[in-house]
Amino acid sequence: MCRTVVLCGSLGAPSAMWEAQLPALAGRETLCVDHPGHGGAPVFEVHDVGDLARHVLAAAGDRSFAFVGLSLGGAVGMRLALDAPDRVERLVLACTAMRFGDPAQWLERAATVRAQGLGAIVDAVLARWFTPGFEGVDVHRERFLNTDPEGYARCCEALSQFDVRDRLGSITAPTLAIAATEDPSTPPGVVESVAHGIPGARFEVIGDAAHLVNVERPDAFNRLLEEHL
């Protein structure tokens, strides 16, 4: 059993997004790591996703750990598994990608947030995070709007450079990749391509959920999490 589990979430979502997973991880040491400016975390210099991965390593001290990452957190997980394979015992990659589309869109979003604030994009983001029937949107809207705009923008710039398409075959950590049927940001085919790129990775799809699948379908997500860890 993995004794330490590190959780790292989506761009714009604080570590509170994992609250429904904590009961399933009882008995393990659980460390939730926020991106810069998320959940009250300080904003620090970020050049690429590798900087976010090194932030996780620093937070974990000298421990090895299982890593659970969603979206941007999944990108961090892939970099950790590539850059510090001795530290990552197991890997869960949810609703993530080897490359997140056109880099220009992330630079444009960073510029928008710096100029207009997160209120300018909140409705579009929430429409991707959850299916129309999800009833808990308001709390996640508030959390998103409490994110520091500069921290968010720096993470957008890091995502614009992320591309591990030619490196995934080097990941050795046992990996579970999870997709959601209604996720418009990283559809099942995108996540499946991640799984296919990692030797021996397992691929699973959860229905009736969008991008924040762990929030919308915690029952199904937690079952897969416990099985893999």
Side-chain angles (χ1 to χ4, degrees), residues 110-134:
T112 297
V113 167
R114 285 190 174 110
Q116 303 177 37
L118 288 165
I121 64 169
V122 61
D123 290 333
V125 169
L126 291 173
R128 290 177 169 271
W129 277 8
F130 303 112
T131 62
F134 180 68

Side-chain angles (χ1 to χ4, degrees), residues 48-174:
D48 57 22
V49 172
D51 287 331
L52 300 177
R54 285 184 283 275
H55 175 61
V56 170
L57 291 175
D62 60 359
R63 292 164 291 188
S64 59
F65 49 84
F67 185 87
V68 182
L70 186 145
S71 193
L72 173 57
V76 173
M78 285 180 261
R79 281 298 304 260
L80 284 168
L82 289 165
D83 299 345
D86 56 316
R87 300 288 300 280
V88 181
E89 297 175 358
R90 286 182 174 269
L91 188 60
V92 178
L93 303 173
C95 298
T96 194
M98 297 179 283
R99 179 177 181 267
F100 290 82
D102 181 0
Q105 71 176 336
W106 295 106
L107 300 177
E108 181 180 350
R109 187 186 297 193
T112 297
V113 167
R114 285 190 174 110
Q116 303 177 37
L118 288 165
I121 64 169
V122 61
D123 290 333
V125 169
L126 291 173
R128 290 177 169 271
W129 277 8
F130 303 112
T131 62
F134 180 68
E135 297 181 351
V137 172
D138 287 348
V139 65
H140 295 280
R141 174 186 294 272
E142 182 178 356
R143 290 172 179 174
F144 180 83
L145 291 174
N146 283 335
T147 302
D148 184 280
E150 180 59 28
Y152 186 96
R154 292 183 188 188
C155 288
C156 287
E157 291 166 342
L159 274 175
S160 75
Q161 302 179 48
F162 182 75
D163 188 346
V164 292
R165 288 175 293 180
D166 61 347
R167 298 184 63 195
L168 284 186
S170 299
I171 292 178
T172 57

